[in-house]
Amino acid sequence: MGCASSINISDRVVYHRGKDSEDSHSPQQTNATLQSQHQGNPALGIPAKPSDNKASITEVEFGPMRLYKEQLQVLLVFAKDDSQSNAFCWACEKASFRCSIARTPESALESFLEKHHDIIIIDHRQTKHSDAEALCRSIRAVGSSENTVIVAVVKRPDREEASVMPLIAAGFNRRYVENGNTMSCYNELIQLERGEVLAQVKLRACNALFTALEQSQDAVEISSEDQVIQYVNPAYETSTGYQRGDLIGKEFIEMPKSEKNKPDLLETINTCIMKGKEWQGVYYAKKKNGDSVQQNVKITPVIGQGGKIRHYVSIYRSLNDNNKTDKFSEGVPAEPHTDVQLSRHRDRRKGSLDVRSTTSRGSDGSSQRRNSSMARIHSMTIEAPITKVINIINAAQESSPMPVSDALERVLEILRTTELYSPQLAPKEEDPHTNDLVGGLMLDGLRRLSGNEYILATKHPHHIPSHLITPLSLNDIPLRVAQTMENEESWDFDIISLETVTLKRPLVFLGLKIFSRFGVCEFLNCPEATLRAWLSVIEANYHSSNSYHNSSHAADVLHATAYFLCKERVKQSLDPIDVVAALIAATVHDVDHPGRTNSFLCNAGSELAILYNDTAVLESHHTALAFQLSTRDDKSNIFKNMDRNEYRSLRQAIIDMVLATEMTKHFEHVNKFVNSINKPLAALEENGGGGEEDCAGSILTSPENRILIKRMLIKCADISNPCRPLELCIEWAGRISEEYFAQTDEEKQQGLPVVMPVFDRNTCSIPKSQISFIDYFITDMFDAWDAFADLPNLMQHLDSNFKYWKSLDEQKLCTLRPPPE
């Protein structure tokens, strides 16, 4: 057998003539022909070709793998030169593919055995010269040909279209109807490269993956979407005693099950994985000999075509295999995988615990920690509720498998911290507005960095100015004020209009009406005149010079509080003393606010920060001053006729609610509310059945949950501006921004740390600040409050307001409103 006559395009034109190449051109003729074609022949549809075609390496992404494919090799099997073979030659050069030509079946087979081409194109038009189908079968008989794409060039049909089945039966992948146009051949090759050849490259990579599975020490099982077993590796055979033949093709439910598993475990697993979530946990597998073996199992759904689950990959690891450090966690649903690796996205607002990270500890270390934990717990002489929880966990650790024990140890570490509900917030470089809001509202601030002592610039005397205590009752309210307050029971009530008609004294007028509607005087057993005097005192101690934290804000929060108190579920939850406490707390919650944040006061070393040890400085001051003002003069002491015990309960409730407005505990209050109230109520609604009302009543009226409801109520009332009608939302956004601008100005003047640098009046984007505030603080809280109190109108306002700020930001506007057209 002679060597193949071939033209290697990448080496320019190199011609090898063998004994079997009788019909081939001479070297000189072939070179002349190719050089002529290289200059281009428009009449034949052959464009001119560049002469510098170098081999290239192509990267192919295959899931998490990166494959490197060398320059494609093409074998053309044509008994003689014609326009079709020449067109394919030049198509290969244009595509930068290496090209070889064989004239006989024997030389074609020999060339393939030497080079293992990616594409073979066989002339099927001239049966008298060679049997194309026989040659294809011969090539397919070679084991390495399974990843080669073979194309048959067939005649253009005269009449009926011939069936492709004989070609497929012979081993061809495709047929090509003769067409000597170079561009047509080029297009065919490119489609082959991007289609069948690329698929074959990926299939070849699967051999490496299966080799890894075969060598893995973990037992691996792959099943179809119907949970029919399709593959198990040798480690699986070893761990279970079954052979592949015993398992392949069987459904998982047909396999023997261990009685040691909980009855509902399989149902739990199926429910989890059929939703596309990964399941991890401990499972007892039944071996072929009948023994049960405890294993850590991870079952991962693989999402494929159409976004549907196409396979399940199960990894089994014996629990007594202590030499592996990567343990699975107990019963933890996780995210599904896809045929192409998916990246995992976390909500930037949430801090989450990766449970799997709790199980990567060695057994020796965890045992030492467990013993030390037990020693600490047993040394305690007072068993608080948290102590009982820790004792229960320690007891469970002693009888738990190692992954569970390690996870429980991590739980103990978390329980020993003080901030159980507050997420751990990492800085977000891409979102300075959120960073500054978190820093300014949730942190206590840097401790004193200079010798500056900040004294409140405007000291309001804590007495009742004479012009504010003019005898006044509901009957004496001026007509214009009364008309403005006619719709005060509506959420869309315009507090700014009331501020205008009352000459910045809305709190007295609105307070009189709301307190009267809720019967506060009757509950407190105090005359209306005392209430009038008290409201006047409180309002006089709000700073009208503040753009935001003034008596109009207090009146706004009082209005929101009253609105929430009328909601049916809130009414079911709270007692009369809770209602009165909520209204009073809303009225006094920001009294004597200096228009500066807690962080500012701490940094400035203010008298208040020193007095309250840099902790909840303003909130502590508001409550303390409110009770000082209330009890200083009998004429304004609304509490003087109360029973002592009842007064103490009322006072404690007011203090608790005002302190809840401090933002450092924001996430703690929201999370407690969701976990203690929302979730139990939702579970009741889902389960249905008898006694639902009684169970819901016990959830709503328990003393602990009433406290959580009151905290959530005043928190939502305090920062409800984004849920107001758009015009009010814009007004309040402008006011709070101005107050923050003034703080930044003063920090710069006094050389103090700038708590919120983005609130520089020259550079700040108000829309961005509102978007961050809504995203970070408002959305989740009001979702939870709406689920409890049913507030669709608020949520509609919130959605439309958010879209308004978004639209301004997308237009690159930094102002409250778009410019006039």
Side-chain angles (χ1 to χ4, degrees), residues 646-713:
E646 195 169 41
Y647 167 69
R648 290 182 63 184
S649 299
L650 180 65
R651 170 177 157 80
Q652 187 56 51
I654 294 168
I655 293 171
D656 184 80
M657 291 183 75
V658 175
L659 292 179
T661 63
E662 197 231 345
M663 292 302 288
T664 62
K665 300 292 184 182
H666 173 81
F667 292 104
E668 176 177 343
H669 295 317
V670 173
N671 285 326
K672 282 183 177 178
F673 181 83
V674 169
N675 287 291
S676 300
I677 298 172
N678 276 5
K679 288 184 178 179
L681 289 176
L684 276 180
E685 291 175 1
E686 288 177 6
N687 296 332
E692 182 179 339
E693 290 186 5
D694 292 340
C695 292
S698 64
I699 293 172
L700 294 174
T701 59
S702 72
E704 297 84 0
N705 286 350
R706 279 167 48 210
I707 291 173
L708 297 181
I709 292 168
K710 287 184 290 183
R711 290 174 180 171
M712 192 72 165
L713 185 151

Side-chain angles (χ1 to χ4, degrees), residues 783-803:
D783 279 342
W785 188 235
D786 171 52
F788 177 79
D790 188 22
L791 303 161
N793 52 335
L794 276 73
M795 303 310 289
Q796 187 174 354
H797 284 316
L798 178 60
D799 183 58
S800 60
N801 293 342
F802 184 80
K803 290 177 180 175

Side-chain angles (χ1 to χ4, degrees), residues 1 27 45 56-57 71 137 252 254 265 333 357 396 435 483 491 528 645 667 685 722 816:
M1 183 183 297
S56 61
I57 300 294
Q71 189 179 28
R137 290 191 183 95
F252 178 75
E254 298 177 34
L265 179 58
S357 68
N435 282 343
Q483 289 174 340
W491 179 254
E528 186 182 350
N645 290 332
F667 292 104
E685 291 175 1
L816 289 167

Side-chain angles (χ1 to χ4, degrees), residues 273-403:
I273 63 176
M274 291 178 72
K275 291 180 180 178
K277 296 182 178 179
E278 186 178 85
W279 184 88
Q280 302 175 27
V282 176
Y283 178 79
Y284 285 91
K286 195 164 189 177
K287 299 175 69 173
K288 189 173 184 178
N289 62 10
D291 293 344
S292 293
V293 56
Q294 193 178 23
Q295 295 176 317
N296 281 307
V297 181
K298 180 191 291 184
I299 305 176
T300 303
V302 180
I303 309 299
Q305 184 180 8
K308 296 181 179 180
I309 298 171
R310 298 299 180 181
H311 296 89
Y312 296 101
V313 176
S314 305
I315 302 175
Y316 302 83
R317 186 173 297 171
S318 177
L319 273 175
N320 58 13
D321 194 359
N322 291 329
N323 64 334
K324 296 184 178 71
T325 59
D326 180 24
K327 305 289 184 181
F328 303 149
S329 58
E330 172 70 7
V332 180
E335 296 297 321
H337 290 254
T338 61
D339 288 345
V340 179
Q341 183 75 15
L342 289 177
S343 59
R344 304 175 119 184
H345 299 284
R346 291 187 178 182
D347 187 332
R348 68 179 179 83
R349 294 172 293 168
K350 303 292 189 296
S352 61
L353 168 66
D354 184 353
V355 181
R356 283 166 292 183
S357 68
T358 68
T359 60
S360 59
R361 302 153 190 264
S363 57
D364 293 341
S366 63
S367 176
Q368 293 172 1
R369 283 191 295 276
R370 185 162 65 252
N371 292 336
S372 64
S373 298
M374 290 297 292
R376 285 194 296 273
I377 296 300
H378 289 310
S379 67
M380 295 182 180
T381 57
I382 301 175
E383 190 171 56
I386 191 63
T387 313
K388 294 180 181 179
V389 171
I390 293 175
N391 282 337
I392 292 170
I393 293 174
N394 272 282
Q397 275 187 304
E398 297 302 321
S399 57
S400 297
M402 190 57 63

Side-chain angles (χ1 to χ4, degrees), residues 134-165:
L135 172 59
C136 185
R137 290 191 183 95
S138 299
I139 294 173
R140 288 300 185 203
V142 178
S144 59
S145 71
E146 62 179 355
N147 298 122
T148 297
V149 179
I150 306 181
V151 181
V153 178
V154 300
K155 286 184 178 181
R156 188 173 299 278
D158 296 330
R159 296 176 184 175
E160 292 186 5
E161 183 79 18
S163 171
V164 297
M165 290 309 299

